[in-house]
Amino acid sequence: MSAQERMETRMPVLLVRKRAGVVGETQRTCHLVPMPDDDRTPLALTAYCGELIHSGEAELLEQPSGMPCVGCLFRVPMPRSGELGQDW
């Protein structure tokens, strides 16, 4: 199992950024969003900072891109003890 796959099983978080044209460039921060519990596509996602992101107005990122949302960084849950990899 790769390091990326191990991280995804420990901390199911999506990286989401609103599309250009939906908001101004300075508001296109990289939000952290909890992974939905089921396989259905939700009508909206709520980032850890509280930002509501409607279906079709954002892009899903494979890796962080642009400025991170500081509110999300402060509120994302920390891994439980024992979940940190050997790199820590």
Side-chain angles (χ1 to χ4, degrees):
M1 181 182 295
S2 73
Q4 179 67 26
E5 290 169 328
R6 285 193 305 272
M7 181 59 105
E8 288 173 358
T9 60
R10 287 194 308 253
M11 196 160 178
V13 173
L14 300 173
L15 300 173
V16 180
R17 176 173 68 177
K18 290 196 175 180
R19 295 184 188 281
V22 174
V23 295
E25 194 62 32
T26 59
Q27 295 176 323
R28 294 189 67 221
T29 57
C30 181
H31 290 279
L32 300 168
V33 177
M35 181 81 72
D37 290 334
D38 56 28
D39 291 337
R40 294 180 294 157
T41 302
L43 295 176
L45 298 169
T46 303
Y48 281 106
C49 68
E51 179 85 19
L52 188 62
I53 302 168
H54 295 281
S55 178
E57 70 177 19
E59 54 190 354
L60 185 61
L61 305 171
E62 290 184 24
Q63 60 188 15
S65 180
M67 277 301 281
C69 172
V70 175
C72 285
L73 292 176
F74 282 135
R75 291 175 183 89
V76 69
M78 293 297 294
R80 294 177 292 239
S81 62
E83 288 185 340
L84 293 176
Q86 298 295 342
D87 297 339
W88 290 94

